[in-house]
Amino acid sequence: MSNDAEACRVSGEAETRRMNVEQARAILLANDRGGYCVPTARLYPFQWNWDSAFVAMGWGTFDEARAWQEITSLLKGQWEDGLIPQIVFHAPSDDYFPGPDVWGVRRTPATSGITQPPVLATAVRHLWDTGRDRALAEANAASIYPALVRNHRWWQAARDPERRGLVATLHPWETGMDNSPAWDAALARVPMDTVTPIRRRDTAHVDAAMRPRGEEYQRFIHLVDVYRDAGWDPARMLAASPFRVADVATNAILLRAEQDLLAMAGRFGTDTERAEIEERVARLHTALERLWHDGLGLYASMDLMTHEIISVGTSGGFLPLFAGHARDRAATLAATLARWAARVSRVVPSTDPGFTGFEPKRYWRGPIWAVVNWMIADGFRATGDAATADRIRGDTVALIEAAGPSEYFDPVTGEGIGGADFSWTASIFLLWVR
Ligand code: GLC
């Protein structure tokens, strides 16, 4: 190829890339509702907890002030006891069920009464570390740090009061992986009757075959009814919970977040706070090892009603690497991923494609989610396995370039499915491509 032709090809590629970066930025701008992003227009018209952590990092690639604002907006919903809710209902909308009236949480802004995986401290540390405007980064990290301390204390007090090491999740929505087959058996014990009349709105926006089934929805709402009756009080919720799991993803994400908080405590905290965080880190490292599943070659969640490990391989099972845990198991985990990869065209499917319950188009029962890929790749990279990390990154970027920043992707066909123009998918693209 002549030099000219080569230069032309390279600049052509660069142009396509630049266009895609522009599009990804445009999606955050379009989904901005004034200091916070909705995950996508209509299907999810409020601010979601872990979505916003990734979205803040996405903003951080081109607008640092706006990145910090995403987080302060989310924290407007934080409760006095430290809980950071799954949803903050900043403004009314009829496009989503269950809305504030069903949750019955009397606060301003209104919020739901459960939480989501605690990625926030990791996002704050990322923005603090990478911020080019140092004064802005220091000031924001310092003012947000106490809210993170309160939140991590909440996890322990509310979800591991006996200090056994693993935190409990009381609703599949708290795992962020709503209808994962890992929850099937535990969810089957939850009754289907509801006090709240069910008026699903999601299936008006997205094909029902890509969403949770009706039966799952009834159990989801039954759980909301139970916890609302418990007055959203952590001890009463734990006692009343008909669904209680130690989600491997939530626990791994929390362990990572604790270490990011510890790094910030070195700058903004006290000796007592540092000692307290170190103690939780040590306890969680030990406890996480109880979730190793030899047969799956993977970590797995535990049903806290039966104390059995749930024998379903999910993408969350790779996340202990994201927490700097299990470095000595990295090769086994890479081999497991390679086995999965042989059955699909792109990685990482949310459910083991060799599992009978694998459904490549149905939400968390098979599709690829960019945010989970970002965390898994980060974990493999930290162990020195650049090949696996690059494969995950390359697949994710290729999927988004070809199909746009969809909510999730079919791992067999590569199709972009669920909602379109998703804030967190666009953010992962920005973090990886810039
Ligand atoms: C769905 C996903 C959850 C996400 C939310 C908003 O409920 O399962 O993980 O946070 O949508 O995007």
Side-chain angles (χ1 to χ4, degrees):
M1 203 188 292
S2 75
N3 280 350
D4 275 2
E6 171 73 2
C8 182
R9 195 178 62 83
V10 170
S11 89
E13 270 175 14
E15 214 165 278
T16 324
R17 274 280 155 87
R18 207 164 42 244
M19 257 182 56
N20 284 339
V21 166
E22 286 311 317
Q23 283 164 358
R25 291 180 179 178
I27 282 164
L28 295 194
L29 290 161
N31 288 343
D32 187 356
R33 294 291 177 273
Y36 71 94
C37 270
V38 295
T40 186
R42 305 202 49 225
L43 182 60
Y44 297 113
F46 311 108
Q47 186 174 23
W48 259 258
N49 177 334
W50 75 325
D51 293 61
S52 275
F54 293 105
V55 167
M57 292 190 278
W59 281 113
T61 63
F62 70 105
D63 185 343
E64 292 178 26
R66 181 59 186 76
W68 290 110
Q69 219 184 354
E70 186 75 28
I71 291 169
T72 45
S73 296
L74 180 69
L75 290 173
K76 285 187 188 148
Q78 185 172 26
W79 293 15
E80 287 67 27
D81 67 0
L83 169 98
I84 303 180
Q86 162 222 19
I87 307 174
V88 183
F89 300 104
H90 290 288
S93 168
D94 267 347
D95 277 324
Y96 181 82
F97 173 83
D101 48 325
V102 176
W103 294 95
V105 170
R106 279 178 293 277
R107 300 184 55 87
T108 313
T111 69
S112 72
I114 57 173
T115 190
Q116 265 194 326
V119 186
L120 196 63
T122 299
V124 171
R125 190 209 176 162
H126 173 93
L127 292 173
W128 179 50
D129 274 356
T130 59
R132 290 165 297 274
D133 184 337
R134 290 313 309 158
L136 186 77
E138 284 288 323
N140 275 282
S143 74
I144 290 166
Y145 167 79
L148 299 175
V149 171
R150 281 203 303 282
N151 179 241
H152 286 204
R153 284 183 182 147
W154 174 85
W155 273 103
Q156 178 167 293
R159 299 310 177 80
D160 181 25
E162 291 173 13
R163 304 196 175 194
R164 289 164 183 253
L166 296 171
V167 293
T169 286
L170 306 185
H171 194 299
W173 285 340
E174 290 200 317
T175 69
M177 304 183 182
D178 311 4
N179 67 334
S180 167
W183 317 139
D184 285 358
L187 194 61
R189 281 185 236 118
V190 175
M192 280 168 60
D193 61 295
T194 65
V195 178
T196 303
I198 297 192
R199 297 179 299 112
R200 277 181 79 165
R201 308 304 310 271
D202 57 326
T203 43
H205 305 305
V206 170
D207 182 348
M210 300 175 187
R211 298 287 307 174
R213 297 188 161 88
E215 190 188 301
E216 285 154 353
Y217 237 83
Q218 285 177 258
R219 301 186 204 273
F220 291 163
I221 298 301
H222 179 97
L223 288 171
V224 173
D225 288 343
V226 168
Y227 301 138
R228 192 188 48 240
D229 284 352
W232 303 111
D233 171 74
R236 286 174 62 201
M237 285 170 72
L238 205 53
S241 58
F243 176 95
R244 201 182 315 143
V245 298
D247 170 27
V248 61
T250 298
N251 278 280
I253 288 169
L254 180 60
L255 177 53
R256 166 62 184 261
E258 291 282 24
Q259 293 166 82
D260 289 318
L261 185 65
L262 187 58
M264 289 185 273
R267 175 89 175 84
F268 308 113
T270 63
D271 285 347
T272 322
E273 282 163 4
R274 281 189 287 276
E276 163 197 329
I277 301 166
E278 273 165 6
E279 192 189 313
R280 290 197 303 260
V281 167
R283 193 164 42 237
L284 200 41
H285 263 304
T286 308
L288 205 52
E289 209 37 44
R290 297 209 296 269
L291 300 183
W292 175 252
H293 189 302
D294 233 1
L296 296 173
L298 193 68
Y299 289 85
S301 298
M302 185 188 283
D303 188 331
L304 292 174
M305 307 294 261
T306 60
H307 291 278
E308 277 166 23
I309 304 269
I310 301 166
S311 200
V312 178
T314 69
S315 53
F318 296 100
L319 289 175
L321 291 176
F322 178 62
H325 182 81
R327 297 260 156 95
D328 53 335
R329 296 199 191 274
T332 309
L333 289 165
T336 300
L337 185 59
R339 258 198 329 276
W340 291 21
R343 293 176 173 266
V344 290
S345 61
R346 299 285 188 191
V347 292
V348 179
S350 43
T351 299
D352 174 357
F355 177 70
T356 44
F358 171 71
E359 294 181 73
K361 283 196 174 20
R362 199 182 285 276
Y363 216 40
W364 290 95
R365 303 182 78 87
I368 296 168
W369 293 72
V371 292
V372 178
N373 278 10
W374 186 80
M375 295 187 285
I376 297 174
D378 179 280
F380 276 112
R381 197 168 302 284
T383 69
D385 184 350
T388 304
D390 287 344
R391 162 90 203 258
I392 298 170
R393 175 185 178 280
D395 277 9
T396 314
V397 169
L399 285 167
I400 301 172
E401 272 175 346
S406 298
E407 187 175 12
Y408 41 95
F409 300 88
D410 181 326
V412 178
T413 65
E415 201 184 335
I417 44 185
D421 297 341
F422 244 75
S423 300
W424 68 1
T425 313
S427 297
I428 295 305
F429 187 81
L430 289 171
L431 282 166
W432 264 338
V433 174
R434 279 162 205 266

